[in-house]
Amino acid sequence: MSYQTPSAPCEAVYEIKKSEFLAFAYPIDSREQAMGHVADLRERYPDARHHCFGYIIGDPNNTTSAGFDDDGEPNGTAGRPILNVLQHKAIGNCIIIVVRYFGGIKLGAGGLTRAYGTAAQMAVDQMTLTAFVPKSTISIATNFAHEAQVRYLIGAVAGEIVSVDYATDVIIDAQMDAARVDEFVASLGVYAAVVDD
């Protein structure tokens, strides 16, 4: 389950027949975060005619959550073309919002579809894409004498320690690439045990 995701927000501007299409792309990991960006742009550009968007959360090839909104444009002429660009480019965990200022000349359904698709593509062209690698968080129980060794083993698989709880035993929550969990668990040996939540 590897796919591309934007590493930072970016934007682009497309103009046609006096209409201006401002495209904004953001990395996201939840629908709430996506809607937050839409709300921010509605606040930043309150005088714009439309705030249309398309988003994908998760793997674009096996979409767990995707959505779009035409925001008053004719059905299927704005949000769907934006979403199509994300799907075609296999970009996940991303929302593209296109803010439109109407220039007074109607573009027609085909013209709108092309304009929104072009604006979204221009935003994608500005993106710095990175491979998304699924992560797993696991809890490890060890004793105080073996804590340093467990920390070393977490680092050996490029894992990160999320939290440490010192009680009767030491409980370490660590996050690492999902593909390396089995390798890590095998390396623990006598030093520690994985705790099931």
Side-chain angles (χ1 to χ4, degrees):
M1 190 179 95
S2 181
Y3 53 88
Q4 299 289 304
T5 188
S7 57
C10 62
E11 53 190 78
V13 179
Y14 177 60
E15 288 184 43
I16 183 170
K17 295 184 179 175
K18 299 183 180 176
S19 279
E20 196 172 35
F21 296 82
L22 311 176
F24 300 86
Y26 300 95
I28 56 167
D29 55 26
S30 69
R31 187 176 191 286
E32 292 71 32
Q33 195 178 23
M35 295 306 101
H37 289 303
V38 173
D40 289 347
L41 289 175
R42 284 186 195 280
E43 207 170 283
R44 267 175 60 193
Y45 300 97
D47 56 334
R49 177 80 59 100
H50 305 282
H51 300 79
C52 306
F53 62 85
Y55 70 86
I56 296 176
I57 298 164
D59 186 347
N61 302 308
N62 185 16
T63 306
T64 51
S65 180
F68 63 89
D69 188 354
D70 294 320
D71 191 34
E73 292 283 30
N75 194 25
T77 61
R80 171 60 74 188
I82 296 168
L83 179 61
N84 286 347
V85 169
L86 289 173
Q87 289 172 324
H88 179 70
K89 296 293 183 178
I91 298 170
N93 287 356
C94 179
I95 184 169
I96 296 178
I97 305 157
V98 179
V99 177
R100 180 186 181 198
Y101 281 94
F102 182 55
I105 301 170
K106 291 188 180 289
L107 302 179
L112 280 175
T113 301
R114 283 189 297 279
Y116 278 101
T118 298
Q121 181 60 55
M122 288 173 70
V124 167
D125 291 343
Q126 297 296 317
M127 287 180 188
T128 301
L129 295 171
T130 56
F132 174 82
V133 180
K135 301 277 187 189
S136 289
T137 302
I138 61 173
S139 295
I140 308 116
T142 189
N143 59 33
F144 294 96
H146 293 136
E147 179 186 354
Q149 178 65 23
V150 171
R151 285 175 176 267
Y152 168 78
L153 293 170
I154 292 167
V157 294
E160 292 179 35
I161 294 172
V162 179
S163 66
V164 181
D165 184 26
Y166 295 100
T168 311
D169 287 322
V170 179
I171 306 293
I172 301 173
D173 289 336
Q175 188 177 68
M176 62 195 67
D177 293 356
R180 298 197 73 179
V181 170
D182 290 344
E183 172 191 347
F184 171 73
V185 171
S187 74
L188 287 175
V190 298
Y191 301 113
V194 175
V195 180
D196 292 324
D197 291 332

